[in-house]
Short mmCIF file of all heavy atoms in Angstrom, two decimals:
data_model
loop_
_atom_site.label_atom_id
_atom_site.label_comp_id
_atom_site.label_asym_id
_atom_site.label_seq_id
_atom_site.Cartn_x
_atom_site.Cartn_y
_atom_site.Cartn_z
N MET H 21 -55.68 -97.43 114.21
CA MET H 21 -55.44 -97.43 115.63
C MET H 21 -56.05 -96.10 116.13
O MET H 21 -55.87 -95.01 115.53
CB MET H 21 -54.02 -97.44 116.04
CG MET H 21 -53.79 -97.46 117.46
SD MET H 21 -52.12 -97.47 118.07
CE MET H 21 -51.34 -98.71 117.03
N PHE H 22 -56.82 -96.15 117.20
CA PHE H 22 -57.42 -94.94 117.87
C PHE H 22 -56.78 -94.87 119.26
O PHE H 22 -56.83 -95.79 120.08
CB PHE H 22 -58.95 -95.15 118.12
CG PHE H 22 -59.74 -95.30 116.88
CD1 PHE H 22 -59.90 -96.50 116.27
CD2 PHE H 22 -60.26 -94.18 116.26
CE1 PHE H 22 -60.66 -96.60 115.14
CE2 PHE H 22 -60.98 -94.30 115.10
CZ PHE H 22 -61.20 -95.53 114.57
N GLU H 23 -56.08 -93.74 119.51
CA GLU H 23 -55.42 -93.54 120.77
C GLU H 23 -56.25 -92.46 121.50
O GLU H 23 -56.37 -91.36 121.05
CB GLU H 23 -54.01 -93.12 120.70
CG GLU H 23 -53.14 -94.21 120.13
CD GLU H 23 -51.66 -93.84 120.03
OE1 GLU H 23 -51.37 -92.74 120.52
OE2 GLU H 23 -50.95 -94.62 119.41
N THR H 24 -56.94 -92.84 122.62
CA THR H 24 -57.81 -91.94 123.26
C THR H 24 -57.21 -91.52 124.71
O THR H 24 -56.47 -92.27 125.24
CB THR H 24 -59.21 -92.54 123.55
OG1 THR H 24 -59.09 -93.55 124.50
CG2 THR H 24 -59.77 -93.12 122.26
N SER H 25 -57.64 -90.38 125.10
CA SER H 25 -57.06 -89.85 126.44
C SER H 25 -57.85 -90.52 127.54
O SER H 25 -57.37 -90.58 128.70
CB SER H 25 -57.13 -88.36 126.50
OG SER H 25 -58.44 -87.98 126.37
N ASP H 26 -59.11 -90.90 127.35
CA ASP H 26 -59.86 -91.37 128.47
C ASP H 26 -60.21 -92.92 128.39
O ASP H 26 -60.66 -93.44 129.42
CB ASP H 26 -61.14 -90.62 128.62
CG ASP H 26 -62.03 -90.50 127.34
OD1 ASP H 26 -61.48 -90.84 126.29
OD2 ASP H 26 -63.10 -90.07 127.47
N CYS H 27 -60.01 -93.53 127.28
CA CYS H 27 -60.40 -94.98 127.19
C CYS H 27 -59.27 -95.85 126.74
O CYS H 27 -59.40 -97.09 126.58
CB CYS H 27 -61.54 -95.12 126.16
SG CYS H 27 -63.07 -94.36 126.65
N GLY H 28 -58.05 -95.29 126.47
CA GLY H 28 -56.99 -96.16 126.02
C GLY H 28 -56.88 -96.32 124.54
O GLY H 28 -57.36 -95.41 123.83
N THR H 29 -56.23 -97.37 124.15
CA THR H 29 -56.03 -97.57 122.70
C THR H 29 -56.99 -98.61 122.16
O THR H 29 -57.24 -99.69 122.71
CB THR H 29 -54.57 -98.03 122.49
OG1 THR H 29 -53.70 -97.02 122.96
CG2 THR H 29 -54.22 -98.25 120.95
N PHE H 30 -57.57 -98.35 120.96
CA PHE H 30 -58.50 -99.28 120.31
C PHE H 30 -57.89 -99.52 118.92
O PHE H 30 -57.28 -98.59 118.24
CB PHE H 30 -59.78 -98.62 120.10
CG PHE H 30 -60.55 -98.43 121.38
CD1 PHE H 30 -60.52 -97.22 121.99
CD2 PHE H 30 -61.27 -99.42 121.92
CE1 PHE H 30 -61.24 -96.99 123.20
CE2 PHE H 30 -61.96 -99.28 123.11
CZ PHE H 30 -62.00 -98.03 123.76
N VAL H 31 -57.99 -100.69 118.41
CA VAL H 31 -57.56 -101.09 117.11
C VAL H 31 -58.67 -101.68 116.26
O VAL H 31 -59.35 -102.55 116.74
CB VAL H 31 -56.34 -102.12 117.20
CG1 VAL H 31 -55.94 -102.60 115.84
CG2 VAL H 31 -55.17 -101.60 117.94
N LEU H 32 -58.79 -101.13 115.08
CA LEU H 32 -59.79 -101.70 114.07
C LEU H 32 -59.01 -102.55 113.03
O LEU H 32 -58.18 -101.93 112.32
CB LEU H 32 -60.52 -100.54 113.43
CG LEU H 32 -61.50 -100.95 112.34
CD1 LEU H 32 -62.71 -101.74 112.95
CD2 LEU H 32 -62.01 -99.73 111.61
N GLN H 33 -59.39 -103.80 112.95
CA GLN H 33 -58.76 -104.64 111.89
C GLN H 33 -59.84 -105.17 110.97
O GLN H 33 -59.54 -105.34 109.77
CB GLN H 33 -58.00 -105.79 112.50
CG GLN H 33 -56.71 -105.41 113.22
CD GLN H 33 -55.95 -106.58 113.77
OE1 GLN H 33 -56.53 -107.55 114.34
NE2 GLN H 33 -54.70 -106.60 113.62
N ARG H 34 -61.02 -105.49 111.52
CA ARG H 34 -62.12 -106.11 110.75
C ARG H 34 -62.47 -105.20 109.60
O ARG H 34 -62.85 -104.00 109.83
CB ARG H 34 -63.26 -106.39 111.70
CG ARG H 34 -64.44 -107.14 110.94
CD ARG H 34 -65.58 -107.32 111.92
NE ARG H 34 -65.18 -108.34 112.89
CZ ARG H 34 -65.97 -108.74 113.84
NH1 ARG H 34 -67.14 -108.18 113.98
NH2 ARG H 34 -65.62 -109.60 114.72
N GLY H 35 -62.40 -105.72 108.38
CA GLY H 35 -62.81 -104.93 107.20
C GLY H 35 -61.80 -104.00 106.65
O GLY H 35 -62.07 -103.33 105.69
N VAL H 36 -60.64 -103.89 107.28
CA VAL H 36 -59.62 -102.95 106.88
C VAL H 36 -58.68 -103.71 105.90
O VAL H 36 -58.12 -104.78 106.26
CB VAL H 36 -58.79 -102.38 108.05
CG1 VAL H 36 -57.75 -101.51 107.50
CG2 VAL H 36 -59.77 -101.63 109.01
N THR H 37 -58.47 -103.12 104.72
CA THR H 37 -57.58 -103.77 103.71
C THR H 37 -56.60 -102.71 103.25
O THR H 37 -56.81 -101.50 103.44
CB THR H 37 -58.33 -104.32 102.48
OG1 THR H 37 -58.95 -103.23 101.86
CG2 THR H 37 -59.44 -105.29 102.86
N ARG H 38 -55.63 -103.11 102.50
CA ARG H 38 -54.70 -102.13 101.92
C ARG H 38 -55.44 -101.23 100.97
O ARG H 38 -55.00 -100.08 100.82
CB ARG H 38 -53.55 -102.89 101.20
CG ARG H 38 -52.60 -103.49 102.12
CD ARG H 38 -51.41 -104.03 101.43
NE ARG H 38 -50.47 -104.61 102.39
CZ ARG H 38 -49.33 -105.07 102.12
NH1 ARG H 38 -48.93 -105.14 100.88
NH2 ARG H 38 -48.54 -105.58 103.03
N ASP H 39 -56.47 -101.70 100.30
CA ASP H 39 -57.19 -100.88 99.34
C ASP H 39 -58.06 -99.85 100.02
O ASP H 39 -58.33 -98.78 99.41
CB ASP H 39 -58.12 -101.78 98.50
CG ASP H 39 -57.30 -102.69 97.57
OD1 ASP H 39 -56.15 -102.31 97.20
OD2 ASP H 39 -57.79 -103.72 97.22
N ASN H 40 -58.56 -100.12 101.23
CA ASN H 40 -59.47 -99.15 101.84
C ASN H 40 -58.97 -98.39 103.11
O ASN H 40 -59.59 -97.55 103.67
CB ASN H 40 -60.84 -99.71 102.16
CG ASN H 40 -60.77 -100.78 103.29
OD1 ASN H 40 -59.71 -100.94 104.01
ND2 ASN H 40 -61.86 -101.38 103.58
N GLU H 41 -57.76 -98.78 103.57
CA GLU H 41 -57.20 -98.23 104.78
C GLU H 41 -57.16 -96.71 104.74
O GLU H 41 -57.44 -96.02 105.73
CB GLU H 41 -55.87 -98.88 105.18
CG GLU H 41 -54.74 -98.58 104.24
CD GLU H 41 -53.49 -99.28 104.61
OE1 GLU H 41 -53.44 -100.05 105.63
OE2 GLU H 41 -52.51 -99.14 103.84
N ASP H 42 -56.64 -96.09 103.65
CA ASP H 42 -56.52 -94.66 103.55
C ASP H 42 -57.91 -93.99 103.59
O ASP H 42 -58.06 -92.97 104.26
CB ASP H 42 -55.81 -94.25 102.29
CG ASP H 42 -54.23 -94.60 102.38
OD1 ASP H 42 -53.73 -94.64 103.53
OD2 ASP H 42 -53.71 -94.86 101.33
N ASP H 43 -58.86 -94.60 102.88
CA ASP H 43 -60.23 -93.98 102.90
C ASP H 43 -60.84 -94.07 104.26
O ASP H 43 -61.51 -93.12 104.69
CB ASP H 43 -61.13 -94.74 101.88
CG ASP H 43 -60.68 -94.54 100.43
OD1 ASP H 43 -60.08 -93.58 100.17
OD2 ASP H 43 -61.03 -95.31 99.55
N LEU H 44 -60.65 -95.19 105.01
CA LEU H 44 -61.15 -95.24 106.33
C LEU H 44 -60.50 -94.23 107.30
O LEU H 44 -61.22 -93.58 108.05
CB LEU H 44 -60.90 -96.66 106.90
CG LEU H 44 -61.91 -97.74 106.41
CD1 LEU H 44 -61.42 -99.07 106.92
CD2 LEU H 44 -63.23 -97.54 106.94
N ALA H 45 -59.23 -94.04 107.09
CA ALA H 45 -58.47 -93.12 107.96
C ALA H 45 -58.91 -91.64 107.73
O ALA H 45 -59.07 -90.90 108.67
CB ALA H 45 -56.97 -93.26 107.76
N GLU H 46 -59.38 -91.35 106.52
CA GLU H 46 -59.75 -90.02 106.19
C GLU H 46 -61.15 -89.72 106.80
O GLU H 46 -61.51 -88.55 106.95
CB GLU H 46 -59.79 -89.78 104.68
CG GLU H 46 -58.49 -89.74 104.09
CD GLU H 46 -58.46 -89.69 102.59
OE1 GLU H 46 -59.57 -89.49 101.96
OE2 GLU H 46 -57.43 -89.69 101.94
N THR H 47 -61.89 -90.72 107.19
CA THR H 47 -63.25 -90.50 107.81
C THR H 47 -63.16 -90.17 109.23
O THR H 47 -64.11 -89.63 109.86
CB THR H 47 -64.11 -91.71 107.69
OG1 THR H 47 -63.61 -92.84 108.48
CG2 THR H 47 -64.31 -92.25 106.19
N VAL H 48 -61.92 -90.30 109.84
CA VAL H 48 -61.78 -90.02 111.29
C VAL H 48 -61.25 -88.63 111.43
O VAL H 48 -60.26 -88.28 110.82
CB VAL H 48 -60.79 -91.07 111.89
CG1 VAL H 48 -60.48 -90.76 113.38
CG2 VAL H 48 -61.31 -92.50 111.76
N VAL H 49 -61.87 -87.88 112.30
CA VAL H 49 -61.50 -86.49 112.55
C VAL H 49 -60.91 -86.38 113.94
O VAL H 49 -61.55 -86.69 114.92
CB VAL H 49 -62.74 -85.56 112.49
CG1 VAL H 49 -62.33 -84.11 112.81
CG2 VAL H 49 -63.42 -85.64 111.11
N SER H 50 -59.70 -86.01 114.02
CA SER H 50 -58.92 -85.81 115.32
C SER H 50 -59.76 -84.97 116.18
O SER H 50 -60.18 -83.85 115.84
CB SER H 50 -57.58 -85.35 115.05
OG SER H 50 -56.87 -85.15 116.27
N GLY H 51 -59.93 -85.35 117.49
CA GLY H 51 -60.60 -84.53 118.45
C GLY H 51 -62.14 -84.74 118.53
O GLY H 51 -62.76 -84.32 119.48
N GLU H 52 -62.64 -85.46 117.49
CA GLU H 52 -64.13 -85.80 117.52
C GLU H 52 -64.28 -86.93 118.47
O GLU H 52 -63.39 -87.75 118.69
CB GLU H 52 -64.57 -86.12 116.15
CG GLU H 52 -64.58 -84.81 115.21
CD GLU H 52 -65.58 -83.79 115.63
OE1 GLU H 52 -66.74 -84.18 116.11
OE2 GLU H 52 -65.28 -82.60 115.54
N ARG H 53 -65.61 -87.16 118.87
CA ARG H 53 -65.91 -88.34 119.71
C ARG H 53 -66.56 -89.39 118.84
O ARG H 53 -67.33 -89.19 117.93
CB ARG H 53 -66.92 -87.88 120.82
CG ARG H 53 -66.28 -86.84 121.68
CD ARG H 53 -67.14 -86.43 122.88
NE ARG H 53 -67.42 -87.52 123.76
CZ ARG H 53 -66.64 -87.98 124.77
NH1 ARG H 53 -65.46 -87.39 124.91
NH2 ARG H 53 -66.96 -88.96 125.59
N TYR H 54 -66.16 -90.66 119.19
CA TYR H 54 -66.65 -91.78 118.49
C TYR H 54 -67.19 -92.89 119.44
O TYR H 54 -66.71 -92.96 120.55
CB TYR H 54 -65.65 -92.45 117.60
CG TYR H 54 -65.17 -91.52 116.47
CD1 TYR H 54 -64.17 -90.56 116.64
CD2 TYR H 54 -65.83 -91.56 115.25
CE1 TYR H 54 -63.84 -89.71 115.61
CE2 TYR H 54 -65.54 -90.77 114.26
CZ TYR H 54 -64.48 -89.76 114.45
OH TYR H 54 -64.12 -88.92 113.40
N GLU H 55 -68.16 -93.70 118.99
CA GLU H 55 -68.59 -94.82 119.71
C GLU H 55 -67.96 -96.06 119.13
O GLU H 55 -67.97 -96.21 117.93
CB GLU H 55 -70.12 -94.92 119.68
CG GLU H 55 -70.81 -93.82 120.49
CD GLU H 55 -72.30 -93.91 120.46
OE1 GLU H 55 -72.82 -94.93 119.92
OE2 GLU H 55 -72.96 -93.02 120.96
N PHE H 56 -67.44 -96.98 119.96
CA PHE H 56 -66.83 -98.17 119.52
C PHE H 56 -67.60 -99.39 119.94
O PHE H 56 -68.11 -99.44 121.03
CB PHE H 56 -65.42 -98.28 120.13
CG PHE H 56 -64.53 -97.11 119.72
CD1 PHE H 56 -64.32 -96.03 120.56
CD2 PHE H 56 -63.81 -97.20 118.59
CE1 PHE H 56 -63.50 -94.99 120.25
CE2 PHE H 56 -62.91 -96.14 118.21
CZ PHE H 56 -62.78 -95.03 119.02
N ASP H 57 -67.72 -100.34 119.03
CA ASP H 57 -68.35 -101.63 119.34
C ASP H 57 -67.21 -102.65 119.58
O ASP H 57 -66.42 -102.88 118.66
CB ASP H 57 -69.22 -102.01 118.14
CG ASP H 57 -69.90 -103.47 118.43
OD1 ASP H 57 -70.01 -103.83 119.56
OD2 ASP H 57 -70.35 -103.95 117.44
N VAL H 58 -67.08 -103.05 120.77
CA VAL H 58 -66.01 -104.03 121.14
C VAL H 58 -66.73 -105.23 121.76
O VAL H 58 -67.82 -105.21 122.20
CB VAL H 58 -65.03 -103.43 122.09
CG1 VAL H 58 -64.36 -102.26 121.54
CG2 VAL H 58 -65.69 -103.02 123.45
N GLY H 59 -66.01 -106.32 121.82
CA GLY H 59 -66.47 -107.50 122.45
C GLY H 59 -66.72 -107.39 123.91
O GLY H 59 -66.03 -106.53 124.59
N ALA H 60 -67.63 -108.11 124.51
CA ALA H 60 -67.92 -108.07 125.92
C ALA H 60 -66.80 -108.40 126.82
O ALA H 60 -66.53 -107.66 127.79
CB ALA H 60 -69.16 -108.93 126.23
N GLY H 61 -65.94 -109.40 126.38
CA GLY H 61 -64.78 -109.76 127.13
C GLY H 61 -63.78 -108.69 127.18
O GLY H 61 -63.16 -108.31 128.23
N SER H 62 -63.51 -108.05 125.98
CA SER H 62 -62.50 -106.96 125.92
C SER H 62 -63.00 -105.79 126.76
O SER H 62 -62.19 -105.14 127.51
CB SER H 62 -62.38 -106.51 124.47
OG SER H 62 -61.79 -107.54 123.76
N PHE H 63 -64.28 -105.42 126.74
CA PHE H 63 -64.83 -104.35 127.51
C PHE H 63 -64.63 -104.61 128.98
O PHE H 63 -64.30 -103.74 129.77
CB PHE H 63 -66.23 -104.07 127.14
CG PHE H 63 -66.81 -102.95 127.84
CD1 PHE H 63 -66.52 -101.60 127.42
CD2 PHE H 63 -67.72 -103.05 128.94
CE1 PHE H 63 -67.03 -100.48 128.08
CE2 PHE H 63 -68.17 -102.01 129.59
CZ PHE H 63 -67.94 -100.67 129.14
N ALA H 64 -64.91 -105.84 129.36
CA ALA H 64 -64.87 -106.15 130.83
C ALA H 64 -63.45 -105.96 131.40
O ALA H 64 -63.28 -105.64 132.53
CB ALA H 64 -65.32 -107.58 131.02
N VAL H 65 -62.39 -106.22 130.57
CA VAL H 65 -61.00 -106.15 131.06
C VAL H 65 -60.30 -104.98 130.45
O VAL H 65 -59.06 -104.95 130.42
CB VAL H 65 -60.28 -107.53 130.88
CG1 VAL H 65 -60.91 -108.58 131.69
CG2 VAL H 65 -60.24 -107.91 129.39
N GLN H 66 -61.02 -104.06 129.89
CA GLN H 66 -60.43 -102.93 129.21
C GLN H 66 -59.37 -102.22 130.04
O GLN H 66 -58.24 -101.92 129.52
CB GLN H 66 -61.51 -101.97 128.79
CG GLN H 66 -60.94 -100.66 128.13
CD GLN H 66 -62.08 -99.69 127.84
OE1 GLN H 66 -63.27 -99.95 128.15
NE2 GLN H 66 -61.75 -98.63 127.22
N SER H 67 -59.67 -101.89 131.29
CA SER H 67 -58.63 -101.21 132.17
C SER H 67 -57.36 -101.99 132.24
O SER H 67 -56.26 -101.45 132.16
CB SER H 67 -59.19 -100.98 133.58
OG SER H 67 -60.24 -100.06 133.39
N PHE H 68 -57.49 -103.32 132.48
CA PHE H 68 -56.30 -104.18 132.59
C PHE H 68 -55.48 -104.17 131.24
O PHE H 68 -54.27 -104.08 131.29
CB PHE H 68 -56.71 -105.61 132.98
CG PHE H 68 -55.60 -106.52 132.90
CD1 PHE H 68 -54.53 -106.50 133.85
CD2 PHE H 68 -55.44 -107.50 131.90
CE1 PHE H 68 -53.43 -107.37 133.86
CE2 PHE H 68 -54.46 -108.40 131.89
CZ PHE H 68 -53.34 -108.33 132.80
N LEU H 69 -56.20 -104.35 130.13
CA LEU H 69 -55.53 -104.34 128.87
C LEU H 69 -54.77 -103.06 128.67
O LEU H 69 -53.66 -103.09 128.13
CB LEU H 69 -56.59 -104.59 127.79
CG LEU H 69 -57.23 -105.99 127.70
CD1 LEU H 69 -58.24 -106.06 126.62
CD2 LEU H 69 -56.18 -107.03 127.48
N ASN H 70 -55.35 -101.93 128.98
CA ASN H 70 -54.62 -100.68 128.81
C ASN H 70 -53.46 -100.62 129.76
O ASN H 70 -52.44 -100.02 129.42
CB ASN H 70 -55.61 -99.48 129.07
CG ASN H 70 -56.53 -99.32 127.84
OD1 ASN H 70 -56.18 -99.37 126.70
ND2 ASN H 70 -57.81 -99.08 128.14
N THR H 71 -53.53 -101.15 130.94
CA THR H 71 -52.46 -101.13 131.89
C THR H 71 -51.21 -101.87 131.31
O THR H 71 -50.12 -101.45 131.50
CB THR H 71 -52.85 -101.77 133.26
OG1 THR H 71 -53.98 -101.01 133.75
CG2 THR H 71 -51.77 -101.81 134.24
N ILE H 72 -51.54 -103.01 130.66
CA ILE H 72 -50.37 -103.80 130.09
C ILE H 72 -50.08 -103.38 128.65
O ILE H 72 -49.35 -104.07 127.96
CB ILE H 72 -50.59 -105.33 130.23
CG1 ILE H 72 -51.85 -105.76 129.39
CG2 ILE H 72 -50.68 -105.68 131.66
CD1 ILE H 72 -52.06 -107.19 129.24
N ARG H 73 -50.62 -102.28 128.21
CA ARG H 73 -50.48 -101.67 126.89
C ARG H 73 -50.89 -102.62 125.77
O ARG H 73 -50.26 -102.71 124.71
CB ARG H 73 -49.04 -101.20 126.70
CG ARG H 73 -48.62 -100.20 127.78
CD ARG H 73 -47.32 -99.68 127.52
NE ARG H 73 -47.45 -98.83 126.37
CZ ARG H 73 -46.67 -97.71 126.20
NH1 ARG H 73 -45.71 -97.46 127.02
NH2 ARG H 73 -46.82 -96.97 125.09
N GLN H 74 -51.98 -103.37 126.02
CA GLN H 74 -52.55 -104.24 124.99
C GLN H 74 -53.86 -103.48 124.46
O GLN H 74 -54.76 -103.16 125.30
CB GLN H 74 -52.97 -105.59 125.61
CG GLN H 74 -53.79 -106.48 124.69
CD GLN H 74 -53.00 -106.82 123.45
OE1 GLN H 74 -51.85 -107.24 123.51
NE2 GLN H 74 -53.63 -106.65 122.27
N ALA H 75 -53.93 -103.28 123.21
CA ALA H 75 -55.08 -102.60 122.60
C ALA H 75 -56.29 -103.44 122.76
O ALA H 75 -56.26 -104.71 122.70
CB ALA H 75 -54.73 -102.23 121.13
N VAL H 76 -57.45 -102.80 122.70
CA VAL H 76 -58.73 -103.38 122.65
C VAL H 76 -59.17 -103.40 121.16
O VAL H 76 -59.03 -102.39 120.51
CB VAL H 76 -59.77 -102.63 123.48
CG1 VAL H 76 -61.18 -103.19 123.28
CG2 VAL H 76 -59.45 -102.66 124.96
N TYR H 77 -59.54 -104.54 120.64
CA TYR H 77 -59.88 -104.63 119.23
C TYR H 77 -61.31 -104.28 119.00
O TYR H 77 -62.19 -104.72 119.76
CB TYR H 77 -59.56 -106.01 118.68
CG TYR H 77 -58.04 -106.25 118.55
CD1 TYR H 77 -57.37 -106.74 119.62
CD2 TYR H 77 -57.37 -105.87 117.47
CE1 TYR H 77 -56.01 -106.86 119.54
CE2 TYR H 77 -56.04 -105.96 117.38
CZ TYR H 77 -55.34 -106.48 118.44
OH TYR H 77 -53.98 -106.61 118.38
N VAL H 78 -61.56 -103.41 118.01
CA VAL H 78 -62.85 -102.81 117.76
C VAL H 78 -63.54 -103.60 116.59
O VAL H 78 -62.91 -103.91 115.56
CB VAL H 78 -62.68 -101.38 117.27
CG1 VAL H 78 -64.03 -100.76 116.82
CG2 VAL H 78 -62.07 -100.55 118.34
N LYS H 79 -64.85 -103.86 116.77
CA LYS H 79 -65.63 -104.45 115.62
C LYS H 79 -66.07 -103.45 114.70
O LYS H 79 -66.11 -103.64 113.45
CB LYS H 79 -66.92 -105.21 116.29
CG LYS H 79 -66.54 -106.35 117.12
CD LYS H 79 -67.77 -106.96 117.69
CE LYS H 79 -67.47 -108.08 118.68
NZ LYS H 79 -68.77 -108.66 119.21
N SER H 80 -66.52 -102.23 115.18
CA SER H 80 -66.84 -101.12 114.32
C SER H 80 -66.86 -99.82 115.13
O SER H 80 -66.74 -99.88 116.40
CB SER H 80 -68.30 -101.38 113.83
OG SER H 80 -69.18 -101.38 114.82
N PHE H 81 -67.02 -98.70 114.47
CA PHE H 81 -67.03 -97.42 115.16
C PHE H 81 -67.89 -96.48 114.35
O PHE H 81 -68.16 -96.65 113.14
CB PHE H 81 -65.67 -96.79 115.33
CG PHE H 81 -65.07 -96.34 114.09
CD1 PHE H 81 -65.07 -94.95 113.75
CD2 PHE H 81 -64.39 -97.14 113.21
CE1 PHE H 81 -64.50 -94.50 112.61
CE2 PHE H 81 -63.82 -96.71 112.05
CZ PHE H 81 -63.89 -95.35 111.76
N GLU H 82 -68.42 -95.50 115.05
CA GLU H 82 -69.24 -94.40 114.38
C GLU H 82 -69.11 -93.15 115.20
O GLU H 82 -68.82 -93.17 116.39
CB GLU H 82 -70.65 -94.81 114.17
CG GLU H 82 -71.37 -95.02 115.52
CD GLU H 82 -72.81 -95.62 115.24
OE1 GLU H 82 -73.06 -96.46 114.34
OE2 GLU H 82 -73.74 -95.22 115.96
N PRO H 83 -69.38 -92.02 114.53
CA PRO H 83 -69.38 -90.71 115.29
C PRO H 83 -70.41 -90.78 116.41
O PRO H 83 -71.51 -91.35 116.31
CB PRO H 83 -69.77 -89.74 114.29
CG PRO H 83 -69.42 -90.28 112.96
CD PRO H 83 -69.69 -91.77 113.17
N ALA H 84 -70.12 -90.18 117.54
CA ALA H 84 -70.96 -90.15 118.76
C ALA H 84 -72.02 -89.05 118.62
O ALA H 84 -71.78 -88.07 117.99
CB ALA H 84 -70.20 -89.92 119.98
#
């Protein structure tokens, strides 16, 4: 889960397993900027989803 101050909450599930979840989490640096690949529908209603506290699901992410 990525909690951002300017874009709301994002959740990465695709490709995450119990075996690799810790390794993936270690690649994320708090305070750094990342680019997220999300579905077009989720992006279009992102503000609404954040208003109702529904996370946007991420396909992938990488450092910005």
Side-chain angles (χ1 to χ4, degrees):
M21 181 182 314
F22 298 88
E23 294 181 7
T24 71
S25 60
D26 53 348
C27 296
T29 301
F30 295 95
V31 175
L32 175 68
Q33 288 183 319
R34 183 180 290 179
V36 179
T37 66
R38 286 186 178 184
D39 292 333
N40 71 3
E41 65 185 358
D42 291 333
D43 292 336
L44 283 171
E46 289 176 7
T47 68
V48 178
V49 178
S50 180
E52 292 293 322
R53 297 185 63 82
Y54 293 89
E55 291 182 6
F56 298 96
D57 180 18
V58 300
S62 294
F63 183 76
V65 295
Q66 176 183 3
S67 295
F68 172 71
L69 292 174
N70 286 316
T71 300
I72 62 169
R73 303 186 72 149
Q74 172 62 49
V76 174
Y77 289 90
V78 174
K79 295 178 182 180
S80 63
F81 73 98
E82 63 184 39

